[in-house]
Amino acid sequence: MPHASDTRQRIVDAVLRIIGQDGIAALTNRRIAKEAAVSLGSVTYHFATQHELLRESLLHFVAEETRHFTELADACADERFDIGQAAEVVARVAGGNAFDSRHIAPFELYVQAGRDERLRAAAAECFAAYDLLAARILAQLGVPDPERLAGVAVALVFGQQLRRLATGAPAEDLVDTLLVLTQLTAPQAP
């Protein structure tokens, strides 16, 4: 028999898949139960309200993103870190050429956080991890004032990712854009 935490996690995973496929408006307890392969009663047992379900899904996503981006930031601490390695990290962040439901769900969750102030602290935590990675990369590349520019770089990444989502543009466009930004902000040799 599945453990309660396993059932709860399957529900959260199903919610994220549904959000990525069809948006938050597509969330119904019946659909969640079917997608998670649990009983309808399990959904309402584990999550009393839609807000609780969205909040838990966002928190799970944030925990995973924060862990992932913190690991990437730690990997950027190598003294030999160069523009080529920066491009590799950006390509990993961009997630390759496929823009699947896993890449779309965060946009939906962040928009929902914009509508529901109770979700904003979780979203802010995730953006702090994005900023940390951006600041580390910029610092390793010798960009002056990397902490101040980190938010700009993250906003650029999100804008490019949204553009990819809407137009089907390749991930390489994001990498190229960030490399241009890095070259513009990096100190010039005398």
Side-chain angles (χ1 to χ4, degrees):
M1 179 168 210
H3 193 271
S5 64
D6 294 337
T7 300
R8 192 171 172 89
Q9 187 59 52
R10 286 180 27 210
I11 293 168
V12 166
D13 291 340
V15 166
L16 291 171
R17 282 191 304 274
I18 293 166
I19 289 171
Q21 292 166 357
D22 298 315
I24 289 174
L27 287 177
T28 65
N29 286 352
R30 286 191 192 289
R31 179 152 181 210
I32 294 165
K34 182 178 179 183
E35 181 80 23
V38 300
S39 70
L40 182 58
S42 290
V43 175
T44 56
Y45 172 79
H46 288 283
F47 301 97
T49 66
Q50 185 90 0
H51 173 265
E52 184 183 343
L53 191 55
L54 285 172
R55 182 178 181 282
E56 187 70 23
S57 297
L58 179 60
L59 289 173
H60 171 72
F61 170 77
V62 164
E64 289 296 308
E65 283 286 274
T66 301
R67 181 192 55 75
H68 175 70
F69 279 85
T70 301
E71 287 173 4
L72 284 174
D74 290 345
C76 295
D78 184 354
E79 291 176 8
R80 297 168 306 214
F81 190 82
D82 62 16
I83 196 77
Q85 290 169 304
E88 288 176 26
V89 171
V90 171
R92 286 179 59 191
V93 169
N97 291 325
F99 224 124
D100 58 14
S101 63
R102 188 175 62 82
H103 292 94
I104 296 170
F107 289 99
E108 293 275 350
L109 289 168
Y110 290 138
V111 168
Q112 188 63 26
R115 292 183 182 117
D116 185 344
E117 66 184 44
R118 298 171 293 183
L119 300 176
R120 289 186 187 145
E125 183 180 329
C126 202
F127 275 94
Y130 298 151
D131 289 351
L132 174 65
L133 175 60
R136 291 250 175 100
I137 289 172
L138 293 170
Q140 288 295 89
L141 295 176
V143 173
D145 207 1
E147 288 80 19
R148 187 174 66 81
L149 292 175
V152 173
V154 169
L156 180 62
V157 169
F158 264 77
Q160 284 292 108
Q161 289 288 64
L162 189 56
R163 184 180 182 131
R164 278 186 66 206
L165 171 63
T167 65
E172 291 79 20
D173 288 358
L174 172 61
V175 175
D176 290 345
T177 300
L178 288 174
L179 292 176
V180 167
L181 173 69
T182 303
Q183 291 169 347
L184 290 173
T185 57
Q188 302 299 319

